[in-house]
mmCIF file of all heavy atoms in Angstrom:
data_model
loop_
_atom_site.group_PDB
_atom_site.id
_atom_site.type_symbol
_atom_site.label_atom_id
_atom_site.label_comp_id
_atom_site.label_asym_id
_atom_site.label_seq_id
_atom_site.Cartn_x
_atom_site.Cartn_y
_atom_site.Cartn_z
ATOM 1 N N VAL A 307 7.521 -6.736 -12.623
ATOM 2 C CA VAL A 307 8.381 -6.885 -11.444
ATOM 3 C C VAL A 307 9.592 -7.733 -11.822
ATOM 4 O O VAL A 307 9.469 -8.726 -12.533
ATOM 5 C CB VAL A 307 7.615 -7.563 -10.288
ATOM 6 C CG1 VAL A 307 8.526 -7.729 -9.070
ATOM 7 C CG2 VAL A 307 6.394 -6.752 -9.927
ATOM 8 N N GLU A 308 10.734 -7.280 -11.365
ATOM 9 C CA GLU A 308 11.977 -7.976 -11.670
ATOM 10 C C GLU A 308 12.647 -8.281 -10.341
ATOM 11 O O GLU A 308 12.762 -7.404 -9.485
ATOM 12 C CB GLU A 308 12.836 -6.999 -12.483
ATOM 13 C CG GLU A 308 14.155 -7.526 -12.956
ATOM 14 C CD GLU A 308 14.959 -6.404 -13.621
ATOM 15 O OE1 GLU A 308 15.553 -5.595 -12.879
ATOM 16 O OE2 GLU A 308 14.955 -6.326 -14.857
ATOM 17 N N ALA A 309 13.074 -9.515 -10.171
ATOM 18 C CA ALA A 309 13.750 -9.872 -8.919
ATOM 19 C C ALA A 309 15.207 -9.435 -8.997
ATOM 20 O O ALA A 309 15.874 -9.681 -9.996
ATOM 21 C CB ALA A 309 13.662 -11.379 -8.701
ATOM 22 N N THR A 310 15.675 -8.720 -7.985
ATOM 23 C CA THR A 310 17.084 -8.332 -7.953
ATOM 24 C C THR A 310 17.662 -8.786 -6.628
ATOM 25 O O THR A 310 16.927 -9.266 -5.755
ATOM 26 C CB THR A 310 17.259 -6.800 -8.062
ATOM 27 O OG1 THR A 310 16.814 -6.205 -6.842
ATOM 28 C CG2 THR A 310 16.479 -6.229 -9.231
ATOM 29 N N GLN A 311 18.968 -8.585 -6.478
ATOM 30 C CA GLN A 311 19.615 -8.999 -5.228
ATOM 31 C C GLN A 311 19.040 -8.271 -4.021
ATOM 32 O O GLN A 311 18.872 -8.851 -2.969
ATOM 33 C CB GLN A 311 21.119 -8.715 -5.321
ATOM 34 C CG GLN A 311 21.911 -9.922 -5.794
ATOM 35 C CD GLN A 311 23.397 -9.702 -5.618
ATOM 36 O OE1 GLN A 311 23.870 -8.569 -5.697
ATOM 37 N NE2 GLN A 311 24.144 -10.764 -5.377
ATOM 38 N N GLY A 312 18.739 -7.014 -4.232
ATOM 39 C CA GLY A 312 18.237 -6.217 -3.112
ATOM 40 C C GLY A 312 16.733 -6.345 -2.911
ATOM 41 O O GLY A 312 16.138 -5.567 -2.179
ATOM 42 N N GLY A 313 16.093 -7.296 -3.598
ATOM 43 C CA GLY A 313 14.643 -7.463 -3.470
ATOM 44 C C GLY A 313 13.971 -7.199 -4.800
ATOM 45 O O GLY A 313 14.635 -6.952 -5.811
ATOM 46 N N ASP A 314 12.627 -7.262 -4.802
ATOM 47 C CA ASP A 314 11.886 -7.056 -6.051
ATOM 48 C C ASP A 314 11.962 -5.596 -6.479
ATOM 49 O O ASP A 314 11.937 -4.693 -5.661
ATOM 50 C CB ASP A 314 10.411 -7.453 -5.860
ATOM 51 C CG ASP A 314 10.256 -8.962 -5.796
ATOM 52 O OD1 ASP A 314 11.255 -9.660 -6.081
ATOM 53 O OD2 ASP A 314 9.153 -9.427 -5.470
ATOM 54 N N ARG A 315 12.042 -5.403 -7.784
ATOM 55 C CA ARG A 315 12.075 -4.053 -8.329
ATOM 56 C C ARG A 315 10.960 -3.940 -9.352
ATOM 57 O O ARG A 315 10.795 -4.805 -10.209
ATOM 58 C CB ARG A 315 13.434 -3.839 -8.998
ATOM 59 C CG ARG A 315 13.635 -2.471 -9.606
ATOM 60 C CD ARG A 315 14.855 -2.500 -10.524
ATOM 61 N NE ARG A 315 16.083 -2.718 -9.775
ATOM 62 C CZ ARG A 315 16.900 -1.733 -9.409
ATOM 63 N NH1 ARG A 315 16.635 -0.499 -9.716
ATOM 64 N NH2 ARG A 315 17.993 -1.984 -8.749
ATOM 65 N N ALA A 316 10.173 -2.878 -9.244
ATOM 66 C CA ALA A 316 9.099 -2.666 -10.223
ATOM 67 C C ALA A 316 9.615 -1.738 -11.319
ATOM 68 O O ALA A 316 10.213 -0.706 -11.036
ATOM 69 C CB ALA A 316 7.883 -2.063 -9.540
ATOM 70 N N LEU A 317 9.414 -2.143 -12.564
ATOM 71 C CA LEU A 317 9.821 -1.316 -13.709
ATOM 72 C C LEU A 317 8.560 -0.747 -14.328
ATOM 73 O O LEU A 317 7.692 -1.496 -14.774
ATOM 74 C CB LEU A 317 10.548 -2.174 -14.743
ATOM 75 C CG LEU A 317 11.909 -2.711 -14.314
ATOM 76 C CD1 LEU A 317 12.445 -3.680 -15.355
ATOM 77 C CD2 LEU A 317 12.885 -1.569 -14.092
ATOM 78 N N LEU A 318 8.442 0.573 -14.316
ATOM 79 C CA LEU A 318 7.238 1.205 -14.818
ATOM 80 C C LEU A 318 7.532 1.972 -16.095
ATOM 81 O O LEU A 318 8.556 2.648 -16.205
ATOM 82 C CB LEU A 318 6.684 2.148 -13.745
ATOM 83 C CG LEU A 318 5.304 2.707 -14.065
ATOM 84 C CD1 LEU A 318 4.412 2.589 -12.839
ATOM 85 C CD2 LEU A 318 5.382 4.153 -14.515
ATOM 86 N N ARG A 319 6.640 1.820 -17.058
ATOM 87 C CA ARG A 319 6.850 2.453 -18.362
ATOM 88 C C ARG A 319 5.644 3.318 -18.673
ATOM 89 O O ARG A 319 4.491 2.869 -18.604
ATOM 90 C CB ARG A 319 6.976 1.331 -19.394
ATOM 91 C CG ARG A 319 7.562 1.732 -20.713
ATOM 92 C CD ARG A 319 7.656 0.468 -21.589
ATOM 93 N NE ARG A 319 8.108 0.816 -22.920
ATOM 94 C CZ ARG A 319 9.387 0.921 -23.268
ATOM 95 N NH1 ARG A 319 10.321 0.683 -22.372
ATOM 96 N NH2 ARG A 319 9.726 1.253 -24.507
ATOM 97 N N TRP A 320 5.879 4.567 -19.007
ATOM 98 C CA TRP A 320 4.825 5.512 -19.400
ATOM 99 C C TRP A 320 5.169 5.913 -20.834
ATOM 100 O O TRP A 320 6.146 6.638 -21.057
ATOM 101 C CB TRP A 320 4.824 6.711 -18.461
ATOM 102 C CG TRP A 320 3.870 7.816 -18.804
ATOM 103 C CD1 TRP A 320 3.980 8.704 -19.846
ATOM 104 C CD2 TRP A 320 2.676 8.162 -18.106
ATOM 105 N NE1 TRP A 320 2.922 9.572 -19.848
ATOM 106 C CE2 TRP A 320 2.100 9.271 -18.792
ATOM 107 C CE3 TRP A 320 2.019 7.647 -16.993
ATOM 108 C CZ2 TRP A 320 0.916 9.883 -18.365
ATOM 109 C CZ3 TRP A 320 0.852 8.268 -16.575
ATOM 110 C CH2 TRP A 320 0.300 9.360 -17.253
ATOM 111 N N GLN A 321 4.395 5.423 -21.776
ATOM 112 C CA GLN A 321 4.755 5.626 -23.181
ATOM 113 C C GLN A 321 3.676 6.413 -23.898
ATOM 114 O O GLN A 321 2.507 6.007 -23.932
ATOM 115 C CB GLN A 321 4.932 4.257 -23.841
ATOM 116 C CG GLN A 321 5.663 4.324 -25.157
ATOM 117 C CD GLN A 321 6.109 2.937 -25.603
ATOM 118 O OE1 GLN A 321 5.456 1.931 -25.286
ATOM 119 N NE2 GLN A 321 7.210 2.863 -26.322
ATOM 120 N N GLU A 322 4.073 7.541 -24.482
ATOM 121 C CA GLU A 322 3.112 8.379 -25.208
ATOM 122 C C GLU A 322 3.386 8.252 -26.703
ATOM 123 O O GLU A 322 4.532 8.335 -27.136
ATOM 124 C CB GLU A 322 3.250 9.834 -24.751
ATOM 125 C CG GLU A 322 3.019 9.986 -23.252
ATOM 126 C CD GLU A 322 2.947 11.438 -22.793
ATOM 127 O OE1 GLU A 322 2.735 12.321 -23.641
ATOM 128 O OE2 GLU A 322 3.097 11.663 -21.578
ATOM 129 N N THR A 323 2.305 8.074 -27.484
ATOM 130 C CA THR A 323 2.471 8.007 -28.945
ATOM 131 C C THR A 323 1.444 8.897 -29.624
ATOM 132 O O THR A 323 0.365 9.161 -29.069
ATOM 133 C CB THR A 323 2.288 6.559 -29.478
ATOM 134 O OG1 THR A 323 1.236 5.934 -28.758
ATOM 135 C CG2 THR A 323 3.549 5.749 -29.354
ATOM 136 N N ASP A 324 1.789 9.352 -30.809
ATOM 137 C CA ASP A 324 0.913 10.199 -31.630
ATOM 138 C C ASP A 324 0.559 11.518 -30.962
ATOM 139 O O ASP A 324 -0.502 12.091 -31.253
ATOM 140 C CB ASP A 324 -0.379 9.452 -32.039
ATOM 141 C CG ASP A 324 -0.069 8.291 -32.967
ATOM 142 O OD1 ASP A 324 0.974 8.361 -33.654
ATOM 143 O OD2 ASP A 324 -0.854 7.320 -32.994
ATOM 144 N N GLY A 325 1.399 11.995 -30.109
ATOM 145 C CA GLY A 325 1.188 13.323 -29.537
ATOM 146 C C GLY A 325 1.695 14.384 -30.504
ATOM 147 O O GLY A 325 2.199 14.065 -31.596
ATOM 148 N N PRO A 326 1.536 15.672 -30.135
ATOM 149 C CA PRO A 326 2.044 16.750 -30.991
ATOM 150 C C PRO A 326 3.574 16.649 -31.106
ATOM 151 O O PRO A 326 4.223 16.020 -30.266
ATOM 152 C CB PRO A 326 1.650 18.032 -30.245
ATOM 153 C CG PRO A 326 0.768 17.610 -29.141
ATOM 154 C CD PRO A 326 0.982 16.169 -28.885
ATOM 155 N N THR A 327 4.104 17.298 -32.129
ATOM 156 C CA THR A 327 5.545 17.304 -32.306
ATOM 157 C C THR A 327 6.193 17.910 -31.062
ATOM 158 O O THR A 327 5.720 18.919 -30.526
ATOM 159 C CB THR A 327 5.927 18.164 -33.524
ATOM 160 O OG1 THR A 327 5.040 17.813 -34.578
ATOM 161 C CG2 THR A 327 7.352 17.903 -33.948
ATOM 162 N N VAL A 328 7.237 17.258 -30.606
ATOM 163 C CA VAL A 328 7.878 17.720 -29.373
ATOM 164 C C VAL A 328 8.745 18.944 -29.653
ATOM 165 O O VAL A 328 9.565 18.936 -30.571
ATOM 166 C CB VAL A 328 8.744 16.596 -28.769
ATOM 167 C CG1 VAL A 328 9.468 17.081 -27.525
ATOM 168 C CG2 VAL A 328 7.867 15.402 -28.431
ATOM 169 N N VAL A 329 8.498 19.987 -28.886
ATOM 170 C CA VAL A 329 9.329 21.190 -28.983
ATOM 171 C C VAL A 329 10.283 21.175 -27.792
ATOM 172 O O VAL A 329 9.830 20.962 -26.664
ATOM 173 C CB VAL A 329 8.442 22.465 -28.921
ATOM 174 C CG1 VAL A 329 9.301 23.699 -29.129
ATOM 175 C CG2 VAL A 329 7.321 22.381 -29.923
ATOM 176 N N PRO A 330 11.553 21.349 -28.027
ATOM 177 C CA PRO A 330 12.474 21.330 -26.876
ATOM 178 C C PRO A 330 12.066 22.389 -25.856
ATOM 179 O O PRO A 330 11.702 23.504 -26.233
ATOM 180 C CB PRO A 330 13.835 21.665 -27.502
ATOM 181 C CG PRO A 330 13.673 21.397 -28.963
ATOM 182 C CD PRO A 330 12.233 21.612 -29.280
#
Side-chain angles (χ1 to χ4, degrees):
Chain A
V307 179
E308 182 186 79
T310 71
Q311 266 191 329
D314 286 351
R315 181 194 294 262
L317 292 173
L318 189 134
R319 196 178 175 86
W320 175 288
Q321 196 166 30
E322 302 188 18
T323 39
D324 294 334
T327 315
V328 177
V329 184

